[in-house]
């Protein structure tokens, strides 16, 4: 069992897959044991790779250990650009699903998305329909279709990109790829010195108060 | 004189509304809400500038910082007293008094023994009070969820600190076992009553209460951490979306970073490929062997091909129960061939029916083939609990709720252990 799982996990990681409770529960649980993680890491190290974990510890993925190689660097740059072009649309999708969440929580790993519930809310609001269309356009989805088809297209697209897994017909579950995205965005925000919206607002009101005084 | 009068009036006002102020400072982040009972207090306190209202439309007033600090200062001693260290000290005192009591009892010094007896009683009473106060403090934390602190991070830190303290206290309770208390009491009647019954009962009830509080504190902490995580995530989403709006066409890049961070180092799919060196003269012999083996295999494969050209005749019953020999139905023959090879095919991974069809010399619609496969399986021994399991690979049809399109039928070999 252990050897079979080891082989399965290593293969999946080498295939560039992210292992989380949603995408591959057995693999995720296997890697949660330190001995297993060490074993996989030792094996991958021979190939110049290692296992990384998202900051909220919900997903494992394979990373290059040495990025000094020019080819690897180019590949990573290319990969990053391909992903970064989708960031704005993904952020809009996160905002949309947050609006539809009863507690205004952003979409996170393990969250369930029911297509019918999303559709019900979207169909009853023209603003949400416009937002949905705007997201679809940013994902290069062309043609005029009704919200039902558009939502289905988006969900299928996110499933294909590894952000969602279809648990039952029309019921999706978010994977740890959202956590990975959050980590990446947080890094870029910090590095580029983009100030958090609330803190910026706090500073602005503090300055306003100072001026008044 | 006017200054003295002013000071006296203010202090009296604090005393008059002490209860409202205490509740506000200790439990409600220094806020007093406009309610029936609070209205008079608010008016009095406002007159002495002990509270202020930031916006006239606010339904509450905020206690002045100086007053909040006064309450903080006043409760410092209480907080210090209610630490698990205080219980430790008291327990040490108790042990000391017990040893004195037993020593005087052994020597028959009745008067000294009485002194120790009352000291022990006093310490036990004090110890029980302290334990109750401490456990109630934790229950208070659970009740108000540190609502006096508005900052979420600070609230998490307070919660963590409370859990640490509660865990320490829990450890202390774990040392006050009936065995330990019994050993301290020895066979003395008074000590047995005081330690085993009175103190033992109090420790047990406090430990239960603390255990509950600790559990709830952990739940609170987890909820607060989730809230913080969601808040940070929301902030990040809003911030970056604002950034995109303010800077149309914004594209982050990795080029400027000397070392690419781990989060962006996700390795691409590793393709495992090998190419034989067919032009190399050193490999000629090996290549020749491979080619000969391949030819031999083809020759072997041709045998069933010939057999396929002349299929064996099978006995068939007609409608009058007459038996005659006829060629088998091609579909039936193909199904038989497929099910013969399936246990081997499905050993390593699920075997696809459509994949099998592509290897069979049969012209049939894939949909019809899948129907035939399912039917054959249902009438075979495999469906009656043999080692081959069947699974539909299907997807739901958009727009037709509950309808599924079967795309393929897969077979898997159930292991003997699993089967058993």
């Amino acid at each position: 069992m252990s050897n079979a799982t080891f082989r399965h996990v290593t293969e999946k990681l080498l295939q560039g897959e992210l292992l989380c409770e949603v995408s591959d529960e057995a693999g995720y649980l296997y890697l949660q044991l330190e001995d297993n993680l060490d074993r996989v890491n030792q094996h991958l190290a021979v190939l110049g790779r290692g296992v990384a974990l998202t900051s909220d510890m919900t997903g494992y993925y394979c990373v290059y250990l040495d990025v000094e190689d020019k080819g690897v660097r180019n590949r990573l740059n290319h990969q990053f650009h391909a992903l970064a072009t989708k960031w704005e649309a993904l952020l809009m999708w996160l905002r949309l699903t947050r609006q539809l969440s009863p507690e205004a929580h952003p979409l996170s790993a393990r969250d369930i998305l029911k297509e019918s519930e999303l559709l019900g809310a979207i169909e009853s609001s023209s603003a949400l329909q416009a937002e949905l269309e705007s997201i679809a356009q940013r994902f290069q989805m062309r043609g005029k279709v009704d919200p039902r088809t558009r939502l289905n297209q988006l969900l299928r697209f996110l499933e294909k990109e590894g952000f969602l897994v279809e648990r039952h017909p029309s019921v999706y579950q978010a994977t740890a790829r959202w956590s990975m995205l959050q980590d990446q965005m947080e890094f870029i925000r910090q590095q580029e010195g983009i100030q958090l919206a609330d803190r910026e607002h706090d500073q602005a009101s503090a300055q306003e108060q100072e001026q008044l005084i | 004189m006017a200054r003295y009068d002013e000071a006296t009036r203010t202090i009296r006002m604090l005393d008059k509304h002490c209860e409202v102020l205490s509740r506000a400072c200790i439990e409600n982040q220094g806020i007093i809400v406009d309610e029936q009972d609070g209205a008079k207090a608010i008016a009095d306190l406002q007159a002495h500038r002990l509270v202020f209202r930031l916006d006239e439309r606010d339904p509450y007033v905020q206690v002045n910082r100086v007053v909040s600090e006064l309450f903080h200062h006043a409760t410092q001693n209480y907080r210090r007293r209610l630490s698990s260290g205080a219980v430790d000290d008291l327990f040490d005192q108790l042990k000391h008094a017990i040893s004195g009591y037993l020593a005087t009892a052994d020597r028959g010094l009745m008067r000294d023994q009485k002194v120790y007896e009352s000291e022990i009683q006093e310490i036990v009473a004090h110890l029980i009070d302290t334990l109750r106060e401490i456990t109630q403090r934790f229950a208070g934390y659970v009740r108000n969820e540190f609502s006096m602190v508005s900052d979420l991070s600070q609230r998490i830190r307070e919660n963590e600190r409370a859990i640490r303290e509660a865990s320490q206290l829990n450890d202390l309770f774990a040392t006050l076992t009936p065995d330990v208390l019994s050993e301290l009491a020895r066979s003395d009647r008074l000590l047995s009553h005081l330690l085993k019954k009175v103190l033992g009962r109090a420790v047990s009830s406090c430990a239960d209460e603390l255990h509950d509080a600790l559990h709830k504190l952990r739940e609170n902490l987890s909820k607060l951490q989730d809230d913080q995580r969601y808040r940070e995530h929301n902030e990040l989403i809003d911030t970056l979306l604002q950034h995109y709006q303010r800077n149309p066409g914004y594209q982050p890049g990795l080029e400027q970073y000397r070392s690419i961070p781990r989060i962006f180092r996700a390795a691409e799919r590793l393709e495992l490929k090998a190419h034989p060196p067919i032009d190399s003269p050193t490999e000629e012999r090996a290549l020749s062997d491979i080619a000969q083996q391949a030819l031999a295999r083809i020759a072997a494969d041709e045998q069933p091909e010939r057999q396929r050209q002349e299929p064996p005749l099978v006995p068939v019953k007609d409608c009058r129960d007459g038996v005659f020999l006829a060629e088998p139905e091609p579909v039936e023959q193909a199904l038989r061939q497929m099910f013969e090879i399936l246990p081997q095919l499905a050993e390593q991974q699920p075997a696809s029916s459509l994949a099998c069809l592509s290897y069979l010399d049969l012209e049939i619609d894939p949909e019809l083939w899948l129907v035939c496969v399912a039917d054959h399986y249902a009438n075979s021994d495999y469906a009656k609990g043999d080692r081959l399991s069947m699974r539909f690979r299907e997807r739901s049809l958009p727009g037709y709720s509950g309808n599924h399109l079967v795309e393929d039928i897969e077979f898997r070999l159930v292991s003997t252990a699993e089967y058993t």
Side-chain angles (χ1 to χ4, degrees):
Chain A
M1 171 66 187
S2 182
N3 270 340
T5 318
F6 167 78
R7 200 167 52 235
H8 165 82
V9 165
T10 315
E11 275 175 12
K12 286 253 180 182
L13 288 169
L14 284 173
Q15 280 165 12
E17 288 189 29
L18 182 134
L19 302 186
C20 68
E21 240 181 291
V22 178
S23 65
D24 189 328
E25 193 181 4
Y28 173 77
L29 293 176
Y30 178 82
L31 286 172
Q32 287 225 303
L33 294 176
E34 209 171 315
D35 287 351
N36 295 340
L37 182 64
D38 287 347
R39 194 176 163 206
V40 175
N41 258 326
Q42 276 171 20
H43 185 80
L44 293 180
V46 183
L47 301 167
R49 286 158 164 82
V51 183
L53 180 63
T54 56
S55 63
D56 60 358
M57 295 189 281
T58 54
Y60 293 93
Y61 56 100
C62 185
V63 290
Y64 293 114
L65 292 179
D66 179 18
V67 287
E68 293 307 310
D69 180 77
K70 208 175 168 187
V72 170
R73 229 188 140 88
N74 281 340
R75 276 206 296 280
L76 288 177
N77 277 329
H78 177 75
Q79 188 177 293
F80 176 77
H81 279 294
L83 180 71
T85 51
K86 294 172 194 149
W87 273 18
E88 193 181 2
L90 288 168
L91 282 164
M92 288 171 77
W93 170 259
L94 283 170
R95 184 173 60 187
L96 179 91
T97 47
R98 182 180 68 188
Q99 280 172 281
L100 304 178
S101 148
E103 287 168 323
H105 286 166
L107 188 64
S108 311
R110 294 191 294 263
D111 284 355
I112 297 282
L113 279 183
K114 290 184 181 164
E115 192 174 349
S116 55
E117 283 177 8
L118 290 176
L119 186 66
I122 289 167
E123 278 183 335
S124 61
S125 157
S126 55
L128 291 179
Q129 285 174 30
E131 176 114 5
L132 184 76
E133 200 50 46
S134 180
I135 296 168
Q137 278 173 11
R138 279 172 173 77
F139 279 134
Q140 312 292 325
M141 290 174 186
R142 304 278 175 228
K144 199 167 165 56
V145 290
D146 59 308
R148 176 188 292 269
T149 316
R150 193 56 100 200
L151 179 64
N152 189 268
Q153 282 176 348
L154 269 172
L155 290 168
R156 295 266 164 218
F157 174 76
L158 291 171
E159 188 191 8
K160 205 179 113 220
E161 294 284 314
F163 286 100
L164 298 175
V165 166
E166 193 174 15
R167 280 268 163 247
H168 304 289
S170 305
V171 178
Y172 296 84
Q173 197 170 14
T175 68
R177 204 159 282 276
W178 293 108
S179 312
M180 198 175 162
L181 180 75
Q182 188 187 351
D183 289 349
Q184 291 172 333
M185 286 178 169
E186 180 56 31
F187 176 84
I188 291 292
R189 185 198 69 74
Q190 283 179 14
Q191 292 302 311
E192 301 206 357
I194 305 169
Q195 225 161 26
L196 284 171
D198 280 10
R199 287 181 203 167
E200 204 174 342
H201 176 257
D202 288 349
Q203 280 191 358
S205 21
Q207 276 175 3
E208 210 171 277
Q209 290 291 320
E210 246 173 60
Q211 278 170 359
L212 280 173
I213 292 162
Chain B
M1 262 327 265
R3 199 174 172 191
Y4 284 105
D5 289 346
E6 177 84 32
T8 314
R9 277 200 301 272
T10 308
I11 297 294
R12 281 202 185 121
M13 204 49 73
L14 281 174
D15 179 45
K16 187 179 171 188
H17 298 295
C18 182
E19 205 179 312
V20 175
L21 287 168
S22 306
R23 207 167 37 243
C25 292
I26 296 170
E27 291 178 12
N28 207 22
Q29 296 173 44
I31 285 171
I32 305 174
V33 184
D34 288 340
E35 285 169 347
Q36 198 66 37
D37 305 337
K40 174 78 174 71
I42 289 172
D44 286 351
L45 294 167
Q46 255 180 329
H48 288 85
R49 284 179 292 138
L50 295 170
V51 296
F52 62 91
R53 195 187 298 270
L54 205 57
D55 189 330
E56 280 308 314
R57 285 167 298 186
D58 286 344
Y60 60 86
V61 291
Q62 178 77 42
V63 175
N64 200 308
R65 187 172 54 84
V66 181
V67 180
S68 297
E69 280 173 4
L70 175 68
F71 273 88
H72 180 74
H73 178 78
T75 55
Q76 248 178 12
N77 189 35
Y78 168 82
R79 293 200 305 272
R80 200 177 299 125
R81 190 159 51 83
L82 293 188
S83 66
S84 54
V87 179
D88 255 345
D89 290 348
L90 279 171
F91 196 63
D92 283 344
Q93 280 179 34
L94 180 68
K95 282 195 280 194
H96 181 74
I98 288 172
S99 67
Y101 170 84
L102 292 171
T104 49
D106 285 347
R107 286 191 278 160
L109 304 169
M110 294 297 282
R111 188 180 286 176
D112 289 345
Q113 192 187 350
K114 278 279 169 202
V115 172
Y116 278 117
E117 189 182 307
S118 56
E119 194 183 336
I120 290 169
Q121 283 173 339
E122 200 179 314
I123 295 171
V124 167
H126 197 175
L127 190 57
I128 292 171
D129 275 353
T130 310
L131 288 175
R132 282 198 180 127
E133 279 179 354
I134 294 175
T135 42
Q136 274 165 16
R137 178 165 61 108
F138 287 109
Y141 287 159
V142 171
R143 215 172 34 249
N144 64 37
E145 294 182 4
F146 296 98
S147 57
M148 65 285 195
V149 185
S150 58
D151 181 58
L152 204 55
S153 313
Q154 187 58 31
R155 214 185 269 189
I156 288 174
R157 276 197 288 278
E158 287 290 343
N159 215 312
E160 284 169 343
R161 185 182 58 80
I163 288 174
R164 268 198 307 278
E165 278 183 30
S167 305
Q168 281 168 7
L169 193 63
N170 210 16
D171 294 345
L172 182 76
F173 280 143
T175 61
L176 297 178
T177 57
D179 286 348
V180 170
L181 295 177
S182 182
E183 199 181 316
L184 275 176
R186 298 199 192 162
S187 55
D188 188 88
R189 212 163 54 86
L190 174 87
L191 289 181
S192 293
H193 173 73
L194 275 177
L195 301 182
K196 284 158 71 178
K197 285 198 176 162
V198 180
L199 183 61
R201 206 164 39 224
V203 166
S204 163
S205 103
C206 287
D208 287 350
E209 209 174 307
L210 183 76
H211 193 259
D212 281 353
L214 194 57
H215 176 69
K216 281 174 188 151
L217 278 171
R218 288 204 174 108
E219 272 183 0
N220 278 353
L221 180 64
S222 154
K223 194 170 145 280
L224 286 171
Q225 283 170 335
D226 280 349
D227 285 350
Q228 192 183 34
R229 200 163 43 81
Y230 289 136
R231 198 188 65 177
E232 284 172 1
H233 197 180
N234 275 335
E235 274 180 2
L236 180 69
I237 294 167
D238 293 335
T239 302
L240 289 179
L241 274 172
Q242 264 181 30
H243 192 74
Y244 272 106
Q245 276 166 10
R246 286 178 192 167
N247 307 282
Y250 164 73
Q251 271 290 321
L254 276 186
E255 292 81 1
Q256 65 266 41
Y257 305 116
R258 184 173 289 176
S259 171
I260 296 179
R262 205 170 165 83
I263 187 69
F264 291 113
R265 289 186 186 181
E268 282 184 330
R269 183 193 179 97
L270 183 70
E271 297 277 355
L272 292 172
K273 284 181 189 168
H275 300 283
I278 49 173
D279 297 328
S280 164
T282 53
E283 306 297 334
E284 198 179 334
R285 177 88 184 261
L287 275 171
S288 158
D289 288 348
I290 291 169
Q292 277 174 9
Q293 281 168 17
L295 283 171
R297 219 171 26 243
I298 289 168
D301 287 350
E302 275 172 356
Q303 192 64 25
E305 183 66 30
R306 261 182 247 122
Q307 283 173 1
R308 239 196 326 272
Q309 284 165 6
E310 295 165 12
L313 299 177
V314 291
V316 177
K317 267 186 186 177
D318 65 13
C319 57
R320 291 178 189 164
D321 283 349
V323 179
F324 62 95
L325 290 173
E327 278 183 23
E329 277 286 315
V331 176
E332 214 174 291
Q333 200 181 353
L335 283 167
R336 213 169 29 245
Q337 283 173 358
M338 187 185 104
F339 275 84
E340 268 171 23
I341 196 83
L342 261 181
Q344 287 168 44
L345 287 176
E347 201 171 1
Q348 296 295 327
Q349 57 190 24
S352 149
S353 305
L354 288 182
C356 288
L357 177 64
S358 63
Y359 288 101
L360 292 163
D361 185 19
L362 186 70
E363 274 184 25
I364 185 170
D365 286 336
E367 291 85 353
L368 189 57
W369 169 247
L370 292 179
V371 172
C372 294
V373 168
D375 190 43
H376 189 88
Y377 176 81
N379 293 317
S380 68
D381 286 336
Y382 294 121
K384 290 170 196 151
D386 219 323
R387 291 173 57 213
L388 207 57
S389 75
M390 181 176 80
R391 192 175 73 92
F392 291 126
R393 197 149 63 76
E394 58 188 358
R395 66 175 168 83
S396 63
L397 283 176
Y400 298 94
S401 173
N403 284 1
H404 293 82
L405 179 72
V406 176
E407 292 176 324
D408 197 355
I409 297 175
E410 287 176 341
F411 291 93
R412 194 169 69 87
L413 195 67
V414 183
S415 69
T416 314
E418 219 178 319
Y419 174 67
T420 312

